[in-house]
CSV table of all heavy atoms in Angstrom, one decimal:
chain,number,residue,atom,x,y,z
A,1,GLY,N,104.1,17.6,114.2
A,1,GLY,CA,105.0,18.6,114.8
A,1,GLY,C,105.5,19.7,113.8
A,1,GLY,O,106.7,20.0,113.8
A,2,ALA,N,104.7,20.3,113.0
A,2,ALA,CA,105.1,21.3,112.1
A,2,ALA,C,105.6,22.6,112.8
A,2,ALA,O,106.7,23.1,112.7
A,2,ALA,CB,104.0,21.7,111.1
A,3,LEU,N,104.7,23.1,113.7
A,3,LEU,CA,105.1,24.3,114.5
A,3,LEU,C,105.8,23.9,115.7
A,3,LEU,O,106.4,24.8,116.4
A,3,LEU,CB,103.8,25.1,114.8
A,3,LEU,CG,103.3,25.9,113.6
A,3,LEU,CD1,101.8,26.4,113.8
A,3,LEU,CD2,104.1,27.2,113.4
A,4,ASP,N,105.6,22.7,116.2
A,4,ASP,CA,106.2,22.2,117.4
A,4,ASP,C,107.1,21.0,117.2
A,4,ASP,O,106.6,19.8,117.4
A,4,ASP,CB,105.2,21.9,118.5
A,4,ASP,CG,105.7,21.6,119.9
A,4,ASP,OD1,106.9,22.0,120.1
A,4,ASP,OD2,105.1,20.9,120.6
A,5,ASN,N,108.3,21.1,116.6
A,5,ASN,CA,109.0,22.3,116.3
A,5,ASN,C,109.7,22.2,115.0
A,5,ASN,O,110.9,22.5,114.9
A,5,ASN,CB,109.9,22.6,117.5
A,5,ASN,CG,110.6,23.9,117.4
A,5,ASN,OD1,110.1,24.9,116.8
A,5,ASN,ND2,111.8,24.0,117.9
A,6,GLY,N,109.0,21.7,114.0
A,6,GLY,CA,109.6,21.6,112.7
A,6,GLY,C,110.1,22.9,112.2
A,6,GLY,O,111.2,23.0,111.6
A,7,THR,N,109.3,24.0,112.4
A,7,THR,CA,109.7,25.3,111.9
A,7,THR,C,111.0,25.8,112.5
A,7,THR,O,111.7,26.5,111.9
A,7,THR,CB,108.6,26.3,112.0
A,7,THR,OG1,108.1,26.3,113.4
A,7,THR,CG2,107.4,26.0,111.0
A,8,GLY,N,111.2,25.4,113.8
A,8,GLY,CA,112.4,25.8,114.5
A,8,GLY,C,113.6,25.2,113.8
A,8,GLY,O,114.6,25.9,113.6
A,9,ILE,N,113.5,23.9,113.5
A,9,ILE,CA,114.6,23.2,112.9
A,9,ILE,C,114.8,23.8,111.5
A,9,ILE,O,115.9,24.0,111.0
A,9,ILE,CB,114.3,21.7,112.8
A,9,ILE,CG1,114.4,21.1,114.3
A,9,ILE,CG2,115.3,20.9,112.0
A,9,ILE,CD1,115.7,21.2,114.9
A,10,VAL,N,113.7,24.0,110.7
A,10,VAL,CA,113.8,24.6,109.4
A,10,VAL,C,114.5,26.0,109.4
A,10,VAL,O,115.4,26.2,108.6
A,10,VAL,CB,112.5,24.7,108.7
A,10,VAL,CG1,112.6,25.5,107.4
A,10,VAL,CG2,111.9,23.3,108.4
A,11,THR,N,114.2,26.8,110.4
A,11,THR,CA,114.9,28.0,110.5
A,11,THR,C,116.4,27.9,110.7
A,11,THR,O,117.2,28.6,110.1
A,11,THR,CB,114.4,28.8,111.7
A,11,THR,OG1,113.0,29.0,111.6
A,11,THR,CG2,115.0,30.2,111.8
A,12,LEU,N,116.8,26.9,111.5
A,12,LEU,CA,118.2,26.6,111.7
A,12,LEU,C,118.9,26.1,110.4
A,12,LEU,O,120.0,26.5,110.1
A,12,LEU,CB,118.4,25.6,112.8
A,12,LEU,CG,118.0,26.0,114.2
A,12,LEU,CD1,118.3,24.9,115.2
A,12,LEU,CD2,118.7,27.3,114.6
A,13,LEU,N,118.2,25.3,109.7
A,13,LEU,CA,118.7,24.7,108.4
A,13,LEU,C,118.9,25.9,107.4
A,13,LEU,O,119.9,25.9,106.6
A,13,LEU,CB,117.8,23.7,107.8
A,13,LEU,CG,117.7,22.4,108.7
A,13,LEU,CD1,116.6,21.4,108.1
A,13,LEU,CD2,119.0,21.6,108.7
A,14,LEU,N,117.9,26.8,107.3
A,14,LEU,CA,118.0,27.9,106.4
A,14,LEU,C,119.2,28.8,106.8
A,14,LEU,O,119.9,29.3,106.0
A,14,LEU,CB,116.7,28.7,106.4
A,14,LEU,CG,115.5,28.0,105.8
A,14,LEU,CD1,114.3,29.0,106.0
A,14,LEU,CD2,115.7,27.6,104.4
A,15,LEU,N,119.3,29.0,108.1
A,15,LEU,CA,120.5,29.8,108.6
A,15,LEU,C,121.8,29.2,108.2
A,15,LEU,O,122.7,30.0,107.8
A,15,LEU,CB,120.3,30.0,110.1
A,15,LEU,CG,121.5,30.8,110.8
A,15,LEU,CD1,121.5,32.2,110.3
A,15,LEU,CD2,121.3,30.8,112.3
A,16,ALA,N,121.9,27.9,108.3
A,16,ALA,CA,123.1,27.3,107.9
A,16,ALA,C,123.4,27.5,106.4
A,16,ALA,O,124.5,27.7,106.0
A,16,ALA,CB,123.0,25.7,108.1
A,17,GLU,N,122.4,27.5,105.6
A,17,GLU,CA,122.5,27.9,104.1
A,17,GLU,C,123.1,29.3,104.0
A,17,GLU,O,124.0,29.5,103.2
A,17,GLU,CB,121.2,27.8,103.4
A,17,GLU,CG,120.6,26.5,103.3
A,17,GLU,CD,121.1,25.7,102.0
A,17,GLU,OE1,121.9,26.3,101.3
A,17,GLU,OE2,120.7,24.5,101.9
A,18,LEU,N,122.6,30.2,104.8
A,18,LEU,CA,123.0,31.6,104.7
A,18,LEU,C,124.4,31.8,105.2
A,18,LEU,O,125.2,32.8,104.9
A,18,LEU,CB,122.1,32.5,105.5
A,18,LEU,CG,120.7,32.6,104.9
A,18,LEU,CD1,119.7,33.2,105.9
A,18,LEU,CD2,120.6,33.4,103.6
A,19,LEU,N,124.9,30.8,106.1
A,19,LEU,CA,126.2,31.0,106.7
A,19,LEU,C,127.3,30.1,106.0
A,19,LEU,O,128.3,29.9,106.6
A,19,LEU,CB,126.1,30.5,108.2
A,19,LEU,CG,125.4,31.5,109.1
A,19,LEU,CD1,125.1,30.9,110.5
A,19,LEU,CD2,126.2,32.8,109.3
A,20,LYS,N,127.0,29.7,104.8
A,20,LYS,CA,127.9,28.8,104.1
A,20,LYS,C,129.3,29.5,104.0
A,20,LYS,O,130.4,28.9,104.1
A,20,LYS,CB,127.4,28.5,102.7
A,20,LYS,CG,126.5,27.3,102.7
A,20,LYS,CD,126.0,27.0,101.3
A,20,LYS,CE,125.2,25.8,101.2
A,20,LYS,NZ,124.7,25.4,99.8
A,21,GLY,N,129.3,30.8,103.8
A,21,GLY,CA,130.5,31.6,103.6
A,21,GLY,C,131.1,32.2,104.9
A,21,GLY,O,132.1,32.9,104.9
A,22,TYR,N,130.5,31.9,106.0
A,22,TYR,CA,131.0,32.5,107.3
A,22,TYR,C,132.4,32.0,107.6
A,22,TYR,O,132.7,30.9,107.6
A,22,TYR,CB,130.0,32.1,108.5
A,22,TYR,CG,130.5,32.6,109.8
A,22,TYR,CD1,130.3,33.9,110.1
A,22,TYR,CD2,131.1,31.8,110.7
A,22,TYR,CE1,130.7,34.5,111.3
A,22,TYR,CE2,131.5,32.3,112.0
A,22,TYR,CZ,131.3,33.6,112.2
A,22,TYR,OH,131.7,34.2,113.5
A,23,ALA,N,133.2,33.0,108.0
A,23,ALA,CA,134.7,32.8,108.3
A,23,ALA,C,135.1,33.6,109.5
A,23,ALA,O,136.3,33.9,109.6
A,23,ALA,CB,135.5,33.0,107.1
A,24,GLY,N,134.2,34.0,110.4
A,24,GLY,CA,134.5,34.9,111.5
A,24,GLY,C,135.2,34.1,112.6
A,24,GLY,O,135.2,32.9,112.6
A,25,ASP,N,135.7,34.9,113.6
A,25,ASP,CA,136.4,34.2,114.7
A,25,ASP,C,135.4,33.7,115.7
A,25,ASP,O,135.6,32.6,116.3
A,25,ASP,CB,137.2,35.3,115.4
A,25,ASP,CG,138.5,35.6,114.7
A,25,ASP,OD1,138.9,34.7,113.8
A,25,ASP,OD2,139.1,36.6,114.9
A,26,ARG,N,134.3,34.4,115.9
A,26,ARG,CA,133.3,34.0,116.9
A,26,ARG,C,132.7,32.6,116.5
A,26,ARG,O,132.3,32.4,115.4
A,26,ARG,CB,132.2,35.0,117.1
A,26,ARG,CG,131.3,34.7,118.3
A,26,ARG,CD,130.1,35.7,118.3
A,26,ARG,NE,130.5,37.0,118.4
A,26,ARG,CZ,130.7,37.7,119.5
A,26,ARG,NH1,130.6,37.0,120.6
A,26,ARG,NH2,131.1,38.9,119.5
A,27,THR,N,132.6,31.7,117.4
A,27,THR,CA,132.0,30.4,117.1
A,27,THR,C,130.5,30.5,117.1
A,27,THR,O,129.9,31.1,117.9
A,27,THR,CB,132.4,29.4,118.2
A,27,THR,OG1,133.8,29.2,118.2
A,27,THR,CG2,131.7,28.0,117.9
A,28,ILE,N,130.0,30.0,116.0
A,28,ILE,CA,128.5,29.9,115.8
A,28,ILE,C,128.2,28.4,116.0
A,28,ILE,O,128.7,27.6,115.3
A,28,ILE,CB,128.0,30.5,114.5
A,28,ILE,CG1,128.3,31.9,114.4
A,28,ILE,CG2,126.5,30.2,114.3
A,28,ILE,CD1,127.9,32.6,113.1
């Protein structure tokens, strides 16, 4: 399940790395 759907989960994990400093009002 690399493309179905390991890469989808990896994208979310990378996004979490990028959002470490997020402090906005809108809930993500």
Side-chain angles (χ1 to χ4, degrees):
L3 285 161
D4 188 24
N5 186 31
T7 51
I9 292 297
V10 171
T11 305
L12 296 183
L13 293 173
L14 294 176
L15 179 61
E17 293 276 355
L18 295 168
L19 289 168
K20 278 184 176 179
Y22 178 77
D25 286 338
R26 188 187 302 273
T27 297
I28 295 177

